[in-house]
Amino acid sequence: MESTSKRLELTQHLVELFENTPQDVISKIVYLLQGKIRPDFEGIELGVAEKLAIRAISKSSGLTTKKIEEEYRKTGDLGQAATIILEQKTQTTFLVENITIERVYETLFKIARLEGSRSQDMKMKYISSLLNDATPVEASFILKILLGTLRLGVAENTVMDALAIAYTGSKENRKALEHAYNVSSDLGKVAETVASKGIKGVEDFEIILFNPIRPMLADRVKSEREAIEKMGDEFAAEYKLDGERVQIHVDGEKAVLFSRSLENISKYYPDIIEKIPKSVLSDQVILEAEAVAINENTGEFLPFQELMHRRRKYKIEKAVSQYPITVNFFDILFYNGKSCLDVEYQERRKMLEKTVKEDEYSKHVPMKLIKSENDLEDFLENSINSGCEGVMLKMLDKPYQAGARGSFWLKLKREYRNELGDSLDLVVIGAFFGKGRRTGLYGTLLLASYDEDTDTFTSICKVGTGFTDEYLDQLYQILSSKVTIKKNPRINSEMEADVWFEPELVIEIVATEITLSPIHKAAMDEIRKGSGLALRFPKFTGKIRFEKFAEDASTNEEVINLYKGQKKMAHDKNLM
Ligand code: AMP
C-alpha cells in the first residue's frame, strides 16, 4: 500500500486484507492501518520519540546508537533503517516466536498507558521485545506506528469502501457505514459491527453518549437574494457567532466537551463542565453550542482569537476568569437517551428551548423566522451589529445531517460582498525559506485546496503577505513539527518547495481574484484543458483554523463556483 497512491488499488489491497481478517481483530487492524490504537477522540497518544526508538533498535540489534543514527541519516526513515539493520542480524539468529496482531496491539496499548519516571525505560523494553521477535519488515511498520510516521494514504472513505465490499459484497452499502461512522466517529467500531452483524447491524447503529457525532456543516451563499432563492418562502435564520463550536454530552452531573474536529476539549472549559449540567433539564442529552468570548462589563461578543488564550497547559483556572464566555446553544442531537437526528429542525429548536434553561452563562442562539428578503436583511444587520459574523439559515423541516455539508443549512456573511466575495480556508502543504527579517523562518507558504474526488490537496497559491512577526514565529513553531522528508502522496503540486509538510494545518486567506494558472493544480482541466486555478494577491487574514481538518478546507468545487461567480459579476458590471 505504501507504494501506491491510487485509491482503487488501495481499496483492492484493503478488501483482500479484510477478507482474510478474523472478526475479533478487525477493529484493531482498522486502527493500526491509520497509525492509531483507538479513535482520535479518546486522545490516546503513543508518544514515542525517535531517540527512544533508536535505543530500542540498538538493544535488539546489538549495534551502537551511533551506527543506527548513521543508517537513519542514509535512508531518511527510521523504520526502513531498522529493516536494513535487522536483516543483517537475522542472517545469524533465529526468530523465537511469531508475533501476532494482538500482541503488537496490546504492547502498543501498554506503551501508550505508561506514565511517570520509569516510563521511558519500560517503553524501550516493550519496543525492543517486539523488535526481537519481529521480522525486519514487521519491525519497520511497528516503528512507523510508534513514531507516528506510518503513511499508507488510506483516508476513512477508502477504508469504508473496502469494508462495504468485503463484508456486504457491494460498495453501494458504503452509505450505511458512513452513517454509523458519522454518529460514532469510531471506524474500528463500525468495522467490528459490519464484520459481525453485516449490513443490518450497521443500519441499526445508534448514537453512543460520550462518542462525538460528526458535525453538520453549511454551504455558503453570497447574498440575501441567493439565500431566498435557495431556502424558499419560509425558513429560520440564526446569528452566526464567531466562537468555538462545542458538542456537549451530558449524563446527569457528568459532561464531556468535543470540538468541531472531535477532540475532547473538556480541559479547556472547566466552567462549561461545571455549569451546563445544571442548566440542562433532562438526563441524557447531546447539545451543540458556540462558546464565545465576551467582554464581562458590556456583555459584547469578542472575536474568536480571544478564546485561543484558553488553549494552554497550565493555569487554566486563571484563563477561565480572564477570558469569560457565554455558551450559545443552537441544536440538540440526543434527548433522554434517544437520537433526535431525524427530527425536523423546528421541532429540535423547540426541544432545545425546553431543555436548556437560559441564564447569564447559557443562552439560546437568537433565531427568527424569515419570510422575505427584507426580514433577512434586517436580521443580518442586527447580527453584524451585535458583533457576529453573519447569519446561519436553516430549513425548517429538515433533519440533522451528521458529518455532511449540505444545502439544509446555509451561511451568509457580510464580508462575502467584498473583493472575491469570500475568504478561503486552505491547507499549508509546503514553504520557502525567508530572507531579511524572515531568515530562518518560513517566509512564504505554499497552499492547497482540497480535491474531494481524488482525496488530494491541490496547490492553489503561494502566500507571503499578512504575516506579522508574531505570526511568522507561531507558524514556524507549528509547522516545523509537520515537516516531511518526502512529499506526501496526497499533495498534488509541481512547485519546488524548500520544505514539505504533512497536509494538516488550515489557514484563512483572502484574495482579489481567481485566475487560470498553468502551474497550480486546483481544478485542473475543469475550466480549461491544461490549466488549473490560482488565487491572485492572496493575503493571510490572521486566522489559523485549528478547529478544521485538512479535509474541511475549501474544496475545488467551491473554488470553481467562486471563479464562475466572479465572471458573472464582471459580466453584470459591464452591462450596467
Ligand atoms: P464555517 O466555519 O465558516 O464553515 O461556519 C460554520 C461554523 O459556524 C460552525 O462550525 C459553528 O462553529 C459556527 N456557528 C456559529 N453560529 C452558528 C449557528 N447558529 N448554527 C450553526 N453553526 C454556527
Side-chain angles (χ1 to χ4, degrees), residues 215-220 237-246 260 288-292 328-331 345 349 365-366 388-394 405 409 411 413 416 423 425 508 545 547-548 552:
M216 175 163 178
L217 307 170
D219 260 348
R220 53 185 109 203
E238 295 174 358
Y239 281 9
K240 184 177 191 302
L241 300 156
D242 186 18
E244 174 160 31
R245 185 174 191 159
V246 290
R260 182 184 186 283
E288 271 202 310
E290 190 83 357
V292 186
N328 303 272
F329 290 89
F330 61 80
D331 221 319
Y345 164 82
R349 176 77 195 196
V365 167
C388 294
E389 285 186 302
V391 290
M392 297 289 289
L393 311 176
K394 302 184 176 180
R405 185 184 297 286
W409 283 11
K411 53 187 172 187
K413 294 198 217 176
Y416 284 0
S423 59
D425 291 327
E508 192 182 69
R545 313 281 324 237
E547 79 286 11
K548 291 208 169 182
D552 296 327

